[in-house]
Amino acid sequence: MRGLPPALITAIVLVAGFAACAVQFPNIASTRVVGNLLTDNAFLGIVAAGMTFVIISGGIDLSVGSVIGFTTVFVALAIERWGMPPLVAFVAVLALSAAFGAAMGAVIHVFDLPPFIVTLAGMFLARGASFLLSTESIPITAPIYSTVSDFALRLPGGGRLTAIAIIMLAIVTGGALLLHLTRFGANVYALGGSRTTASLMGVAVGKMTVKIYMLSSLLAGIAGIVFSFYTSAGYSLSAVGVELDTIAAVVIGGTLLTGGQGSVIGTFLGVLIQGLIQTYINFDGTLSSWWTKIATGILLFAFIALQQGLVALARRPLAKSAGAAT
Amino acid sequence: MQNSPDPALPLLEVRGISKSFGAVRALQEVDFTLRAGEIHALLGENGAGKSTLIKVVTGVFPRDAGIVRIGGEEVAPRSAKAALAAGIATVYQEVNLLPNLSVAQNLFLDRQPMRFGIVREGEMRRRAKALLAEFGLDIDVAAPLGSYSVAVQHVTAIARAVDLSARVLILDEPTASLDRHEVEILFGIMRQLARRGIGIAFVSHFLDQVYEISDRITVLRNGRLVGERETASLPRLELIRLMLGRELAETTSARASVGEHKVREVCASFENYGKAGYVAPFNLELRHGEVVGLAGLLGSGRTETARLVFGAERADGGKARVEGAPVRLQSPRDGVRHGFGYCPEERKTDGIVAELTVRENIVLALQAKRGLHRPLSRREQDEIARRYVKMLDIRPPDAERPVGLLSGGNQQKVLLARWLATSPRLLVLDEPTRGIDVGAHAEIIRLIRELCDDGLSLLVISSELDEIVTYSDRVVVLRDRAHVEELAGEAVDVGNILAAIAADGAGVAHEGRA
Ligand SMILES: Nc1ncnc2c1ncn2[C@@H]1O[C@H](COP(=O)(O)OP(=O)(O)OP(=O)(O)O)[C@@H](O)[C@H]1O
Ligand SMILES: [Mg+2]
């Protein structure tokens, strides 16, 4: 229930936008385009799911773009230069990114520092580390890469649901279940309500903080692997600025930037809206791709205004029901 | 946990606890003993250190010295979670729940019924409903807690703590925002728990309640233990002397000067003033030098009336006049512009800015009234702050301390000072003595009378009928969001108010002690 009404609005915007695009370019309404949209935004959907947890808990994670970049470089080097089997490389990089996130969470909790600062430092650190590893783009030629790229479920109407799109859908589903159905999820909302109060109510705030940032970095690591499948390369400059696209998707999905409310499903819809704008611009052909950013910016404004409106509305009945409830 | 405790053995033993915040010595070698099956009142003036003791014992604040034993075993919890694991459940003074979560999630946070790692939402709601039903509350437990009144939130917090079924239950001012009916229910549950061998410590400034429910009393003054007595053998005056360290000048409960002074001109009047679905249209005349009390049950429309009068809520019909001239009250700004002041009930959310100092909080409204282009000089600010710190006996008397670090009762006094500093013509006080100790309580009542003699007009809301009778010239009684009766002169007494509240048989259940 929680967080769904704003997500519902996101859903309406998405459907309306899709319909409008389809009217102009009937081809958009095909499984092929939808399949591509899911594939193109698979890595974004995965990081955004993690970011949703962080933002609902009242934090922010600016390091995710850099972690994606680092992961691609590390995976490429490990497979191509160091001769690691791909699966070992994946496990290693996921362990690294999870540890990195856990460390940021621990610093935030122990030194009581703002997550913005700590993850900003994390962002520079991870990006710097990937430059240290390599500054060039490293193509990955391991057979598993072509196998995974070729794998796809055929959709009726000629569309393809690729492996990475399937991974993304699985993670979004898993994330939604984790957030809404488990004790961990309830504690995430509790932290977003108030850290002090949550701790007075017996929530282990420190452990939760570590776990939440660990989850976010871990998902950024997975997104990095997915990204390397998508581009078949590792490059230290990949996914620059993705943290901002991610935050935008989360907010457009109806999650409150101040924490305490939101949903993974909403975030997924937010990712799709951004993908839809990109698709529209590709179809149009005359528009510069920077219009994606402008449209995203406008949508962000609209959603933040909308949230403020909803928050204000939610306050009003409070005064009314104040007594009636007793 | 199940073995029946030896009554001679103390359940919770606190020995030699000390705690300083910088230079402030909040607790000095305090002892506290709680036996199984007893209800123990922890009393003291505002700032005596009651809440600090509770937080140190439950590990929210680290302690400087001392030991805590539960059932003879030494424990040193370092968080509320650890204290709970050791067997202490606590409701802290600042009602600590999460408004963004549902009522059910609040009740079962971190202990939800689970199956295969998944929260059983249906089961949790069912249990939440059953639990609240014990407290006489029938509400939608799936709705966010924040959509309910403070009283409901408070009951929820208590229900959660009770349900944790710890061996020790600590309640810091649990009754502060409850009405009589809810207090009765809470006391019933406390007695029941005590019979099961649970030790209950509770803090309250309502001495009637202390005498009604507690077996023993521990008194703190200025961070030191001054005594532990059997309630039955401690006369009330002696208790007050212990708490204050001096005799209390006899000011309360005498309706002395009321009605003697001559009635002056009308300060503000409201005709058919109201708002659909909020408060039924009412007529109200407030004169200079007069106190009008608003009485009624929680939710009867008292706070709503106050908010309309101040302009915090817009009326949808009727006329308002100030000094005879028609005015529009559309926002709190309008209220302030016409010389109104409003001290809300919920100091934490509606009033106090915890990070600002006492001085800054006190001058806030005055500065807003003067406008930002006419800043108060630092000298003026210091002067104003000093005057009110002294007048209201705000402790510690340090105007440069962030308000958030003051005890709950002293925060309340700062809020009162803020509005007094604007020299209003009409001041609306919503539960002005809530959470304020006996000494300061008498001070505030005396202050209310004095202000009136200076021509101020006061509208006061209080659940304490004795108190309202003490200072009011007239009392307006509300029921079901409508003004149902106005009592004046000789008619102002507790019996008449109760009769008006309970007329039609509505609320007979709420009657209780007067
Ligand atoms: N976090 C803190 N930092 C600094 N000083 C504090 C802090 N908490 C409490 N104090 C100080 O410790 C003293 C005791 O405060 P405490 O809150 O225990 O009082 P109390 O007895 O609960 O009063 P009340 O009845 O008003 O709630 C006060 O002087 C207060 O200003
Ligand atoms: Mg206190």
Side-chain angles (χ1 to χ4, degrees), chain A residues 197 200-202, chain B residues 84 88-99 101-109 111 128 131-132 135 137 139 145-146 148-165 168-178 182 186 189-190 193 348:
Chain A
T197 301
L200 287 180
M201 286 175 78
Chain B
L84 189 56
I88 312 176
T90 314
V91 177
Y92 298 92
Q93 185 170 11
E94 319 81 29
V95 176
N96 273 304
L97 290 173
L98 297 157
L101 297 189
S102 71
V103 175
Q105 283 283 9
N106 267 290
L107 285 169
F108 290 97
L109 190 67
R111 58 191 192 94
L131 180 55
L132 290 180
F135 287 83
L137 217 53
I139 57 174
L145 184 73
Y148 291 106
S149 69
V150 187
V152 169
Q153 300 191 19
H154 219 133
V155 171
T156 308
I158 295 167
R160 174 184 163 88
V162 166
D163 195 54
L164 292 171
S165 52
V168 176
L169 178 63
I170 303 180
L171 305 170
D172 196 348
E173 300 200 25
T175 56
S177 51
L178 304 188
E182 291 160 329
L186 173 65
I189 288 172
M190 282 166 68
L193 292 173
K348 210 169 147 203

Side-chain angles (χ1 to χ4, degrees), chain A residues 192-228:
Chain A
S194 155
R195 292 176 71 83
T196 332
T197 301
S199 121
L200 287 180
M201 286 175 78
V203 174
V205 171
K207 273 190 202 150
M208 278 301 296
T209 309
V210 169
K211 284 186 193 164
I212 289 168
Y213 285 89
M214 191 165 95
L215 178 68
S216 172
S217 281
L218 178 71
L219 289 181
I222 296 178
I225 294 174
V226 163
F227 197 76
S228 74

Side-chain angles (χ1 to χ4, degrees), chain B residues 46-47 49-52 93-94 172-173 203 205 407-409:
Chain B
N46 295 134
K50 306 176 295 291
S51 300
T52 306
Q93 185 170 11
E94 319 81 29
D172 196 348
E173 300 200 25
V203 176
H205 289 295
S407 76

Side-chain angles (χ1 to χ4, degrees), chain B residues 48-256:
Chain B
K50 306 176 295 291
S51 300
T52 306
L53 178 62
I54 290 170
K55 288 189 174 166
V56 168
V57 168
T58 55
V60 175
F61 292 153
R63 55 194 185 221
D64 300 343
I67 54 169
V68 177
R69 283 195 211 105
I70 293 183
E73 250 172 75
E74 199 171 328
V75 294
R78 296 181 53 185
S79 68
K81 190 181 173 75
L84 189 56
I88 312 176
T90 314
V91 177
Y92 298 92
Q93 185 170 11
E94 319 81 29
V95 176
N96 273 304
L97 290 173
L98 297 157
N100 61 321
L101 297 189
S102 71
V103 175
Q105 283 283 9
N106 267 290
L107 285 169
F108 290 97
L109 190 67
D110 215 37
R111 58 191 192 94
Q112 297 94 338
M114 307 286 284
R115 182 186 287 151
F116 311 125
I118 288 185
V119 174
R120 298 167 63 194
E121 187 77 28
E123 170 71 9
M124 184 171 82
R125 286 189 194 160
R126 203 183 52 69
R127 282 198 213 166
K129 257 201 126 47
L131 180 55
L132 290 180
E134 282 181 46
F135 287 83
L137 217 53
D138 179 24
I139 57 174
D140 174 12
V141 294
L145 184 73
S147 60
Y148 291 106
S149 69
V150 187
V152 169
Q153 300 191 19
H154 219 133
V155 171
T156 308
I158 295 167
R160 174 184 163 88
V162 166
D163 195 54
L164 292 171
S165 52
R167 287 195 282 171
V168 176
L169 178 63
I170 303 180
L171 305 170
D172 196 348
E173 300 200 25
T175 56
S177 51
L178 304 188
D179 66 19
R180 275 170 201 286
H181 178 57
E182 291 160 329
V183 169
E184 290 305 326
I185 292 175
L186 173 65
F187 282 3
I189 288 172
M190 282 166 68
R191 288 195 187 98
Q192 201 180 316
L193 292 173
R195 270 198 298 276
R196 294 213 308 247
I198 291 170
I200 302 175
F202 87 109
V203 176
S204 176
H205 289 295
F206 299 114
L207 298 189
D208 287 342
Q209 295 180 359
V210 169
Y211 276 97
E212 181 184 339
I213 187 100
S214 71
D215 304 313
R216 279 191 309 150
I217 296 175
T218 290
V219 179
L220 298 184
R221 191 194 320 140
N222 292 329
R224 289 174 186 280
L225 175 70
V226 290
E228 192 208 80
R229 306 287 171 82
E230 298 282 330
T231 309
S233 63
L234 180 62
R236 191 179 284 239
L237 279 177
E238 171 69 9
L239 170 63
I240 293 174
R241 203 187 52 72
L242 279 179
M243 285 166 59
L244 303 188
R246 60 184 155 84
E247 304 292 334
L248 178 66
E250 205 47 61
T251 48
T252 40
S253 72
R255 216 173 113 75

Side-chain angles (χ1 to χ4, degrees), chain B residues 382-398:
Chain B
D382 285 338
E383 172 56 32
I384 292 166
R386 184 144 24 91
R387 186 161 79 237
Y388 286 102
V389 166
K390 186 150 179 286
M391 184 161 153
L392 300 178
D393 191 20
I394 292 169
R395 278 184 248 173
D398 171 9

